[in-house]
Amino acid sequence: MEILLTGGAGFIGSAVATRLVAAGHGVRVLDALLPAVHPSGRPPALPGGVEFRQGDVRDRAAVERALEGVDAVCHQAAMVGLGLDLDDAPDYVGCNDLGTSVLLAAMARGGVRELVLAGSMVVYGEGSYRCPEHGEVAPGPRRTADLDAGRFEPPCPRCGAPLAPGLVGEQAPADPRNVYAVTKLAQEQLAAAWARACGGRVLSLRYHNVYGPGMPRDTPYAGVASLFRSALARGEAPRVFEDGGQRRDFVHVRDVASANLAALRAVAARPAGSARAYNVGSGEVHTVGAMALALAAAYGGPAPVVTGEYRLGDVRHITADSARLRAELGWRPEVSFAEGMTEFAAAPLRG
């Protein structure tokens, strides 16, 4: 199969390219090499046989040329991370939603009808919670006064009681809590509309906290694992926000790449006009504080410092139920948390 891989020079995209080539697929990468991700302006080393084209998914002509002769698209190109403030909103919407709409329109014109989309767990907002009295509840946004006072756990919106966090499944309603999250939900909705309009097929992979070799060095758009790893490389203690008790599912980038391969193998068998989402998580729940401790120990650096700081727009707990992906596509994560953190501690970061 000939595959167009957008964003294929990025952290996740380059791992996907490696996995697809190893499986015998032809891969054409389209990547804008944005300075926030590629400060050198040069693509990373990609596997032999990958055709690299520098171009932006917002550029209609570049996308149309890149789509020539391909059977399916794996769309990884996006501006990622929470960002700094609302001044980032135009960039997020432009990169993620305008870029996706340009790509989808070109696919409709060019007759390419199979799409695997890089989604995100951020579309859920907070994860799944249960109140002892009221059962499953959806807490509202956390209040600044509570966060300032160190009250980080969201209470029951009905009685104020403490809540028990659990796993969130794909059937959970969307509740994006920041601009990036809104753009990721919009990508899924645009793709679903495209599928209905032209008889396409789309599988959206909602990544949880992806980490591994090749992560970019710390920027305002980097993931927490990259921020901790960058601090250790500078000889500094990782700074853990809130109380470190935030629950996450840290999934290795090679497992994310294998999920993309499984989705590309399965998408052609889906009904025309259909869209389906899958969580991509390791199945292991760890706190941010525990991850910082594991990474610092594996690196041999200073122990993490819990700061009590917070970022508005961050959620407290979000962990995946990936049973649908395992059952329907036969995917299984292969890299354990302990193994992955040990590897990540020794791996160089992308400059």
Side-chain angles (χ1 to χ4, degrees):
M1 185 160 50
E2 295 297 319
I3 299 165
L4 172 62
L5 175 60
T6 70
F11 163 52
I12 296 176
S14 57
V16 173
T18 299
R19 189 71 181 89
L20 296 181
V21 169
H25 296 293
V27 178
R28 177 180 299 159
V29 164
L30 179 69
D31 198 298
L33 299 182
L34 297 177
V37 183
H38 304 278
S40 71
R42 299 187 303 273
L46 292 169
V50 171
E51 178 188 352
F52 176 79
R53 297 187 183 185
Q54 184 170 353
D56 198 306
V57 289
R58 292 167 289 188
D59 182 337
R60 172 176 171 169
V63 171
E64 288 180 340
R65 290 192 297 269
L67 283 168
E68 294 174 357
V70 307
D71 303 303
V73 174
C74 187
H75 183 33
Q76 305 290 322
M79 184 175 178
V80 301
L82 185 59
L84 294 173
D85 50 44
L86 282 175
D87 285 340
D88 285 332
D91 289 335
Y92 275 113
V93 174
C95 287
N96 298 353
D97 299 338
L98 175 59
T100 298
S101 65
V102 171
L103 173 65
L104 293 171
M107 291 174 66
R109 289 191 300 272
V112 181
R113 296 292 183 262
E114 296 172 12
L115 172 67
V116 172
L117 173 66
S120 174
M121 53 82 176
V122 296
V123 301
Y124 299 118
E126 287 285 354
S128 174
Y129 291 86
R130 176 171 287 276
C131 172
E133 181 177 352
H134 298 106
E136 295 290 336
V137 295
R142 295 186 292 171
R143 300 182 304 175
T144 301
D146 288 335
L147 297 171
D148 285 340
R151 295 188 295 269
F152 300 118
E153 296 289 344
C156 175
R158 298 177 62 182
C159 68
L163 299 174
L167 301 181
V168 62
E170 293 88 351
Q171 76 284 353
D175 186 18
R177 300 286 177 100
N178 54 62
V179 170
Y180 169 63
V182 170
T183 66
K184 295 306 290 183
L185 180 59
Q187 282 186 310
E188 288 194 22
Q189 293 172 331
L190 285 165
W194 162 82
R196 287 191 294 269
C198 70
R201 303 167 177 87
V202 57
L203 297 181
S204 297
L205 301 178
R206 293 173 177 171
Y207 303 155
H208 282 247
N209 290 71
V210 186
Y211 75 97
M215 285 195 87
R217 295 184 185 278
D218 52 337
T219 75
Y221 311 98
V224 66
S226 173
L227 297 176
F228 292 165
R229 176 65 177 76
S230 297
L232 290 165
R234 296 192 301 269
E236 300 171 3
R239 295 176 60 82
V240 180
F241 279 16
E242 300 186 18
D243 61 358
Q246 309 93 306
R247 289 161 55 98
R248 296 291 188 269
D249 184 327
F250 297 99
V251 58
H252 197 278
V253 69
R254 288 197 298 275
D255 287 332
V256 171
S258 68
N260 276 271
L261 175 62
L264 283 162
R265 287 171 170 167
V267 66
R270 297 289 303 166
S274 67
R276 191 153 177 80
Y278 295 93
N279 287 331
V280 183
S282 70
E284 298 184 46
V285 176
H286 297 274
T287 66
V288 172
M291 186 272 283
L293 281 169
L295 188 58
Y299 188 85
V305 174
V306 178
T307 70
E309 298 171 89
Y310 64 86
R311 295 194 307 177
L312 285 175
D314 274 346
V315 298
R316 179 62 175 175
H317 304 300
I318 177 69
T319 52
D321 180 352
S322 300
R324 177 186 289 182
L325 181 59
R326 297 172 186 235
E328 295 186 7
L329 302 190
W331 172 85
R332 295 288 186 279
E334 297 180 353
V335 183
S336 70
F337 178 80
E339 176 190 354
M341 287 298 156
T342 298
E343 178 194 33
F344 183 46
L349 294 171
R350 182 178 302 197

